Amino acid sequence: MSEIKGVDVNIMGRDFTVSCTDEERPGLLNAVNFLDKKMRDIRDSGKVIGVERIAIMTALNLSYELLNSKSGDVNIGDIKRRISMMQDQIDQACELK
């Protein structure tokens, strides 16, 4: 079992330290990237203002998607493919910097 360590992450320009093991780190970083993108999408839509409101709307949207996936209304394979494509786009964007 790995030791729990603090991992520094950035979501919408705000820094956080999250505890996880080395095994959990890749999944955590994927989740951070996914959450950051979702929150930025909501912010960029211009319909929601304020980080707290953006976070709540993102949580609501993700909760809705999760609950629908449990009822079979969402294709998990499609979601995994979309997340993978987003991760590739993020990786490419980071390489350009």
Side-chain angles (χ1 to χ4, degrees):
M1 184 170 199
S2 289
E3 178 183 340
I4 295 177
K5 300 176 186 174
V7 177
D8 295 326
V9 300
N10 186 288
I11 301 171
M12 280 195 45
R14 294 181 180 218
D15 294 321
F16 301 91
T17 301
V18 181
S19 298
C20 70
T21 64
D22 287 337
E23 291 83 15
E24 295 170 326
R25 183 182 173 106
L28 170 65
L29 295 177
N30 282 337
V32 166
N33 290 331
F34 183 75
L35 177 60
D36 185 62
K37 170 138 180 32
K38 289 286 193 180
M39 289 182 68
R40 287 177 188 276
D41 288 347
I42 288 174
R43 179 199 63 197
D44 294 346
S45 75
K47 296 178 182 176
V48 181
I49 298 173
V51 176
E52 183 177 298
R53 288 178 182 257
I54 291 169
I56 290 169
M57 289 306 300
T58 303
L60 181 59
N61 288 340
L62 293 175
S63 297
Y64 177 81
E65 289 176 17
L66 176 64
L67 292 173
N68 280 335
S69 71
K70 287 183 178 180
S71 67
D73 293 342
V74 173
N75 181 334
I76 298 298
D78 182 50
I79 291 174
K80 288 181 179 180
R81 281 189 292 282
R82 289 173 39 203
I83 291 171
S84 180
M85 286 179 5
M86 285 187 256
Q87 184 63 49
D88 291 343
Q89 291 173 343
I90 291 168
D91 291 343
Q92 289 173 1
C94 289
E95 289 173 5
L96 297 175
K97 290 184 179 183

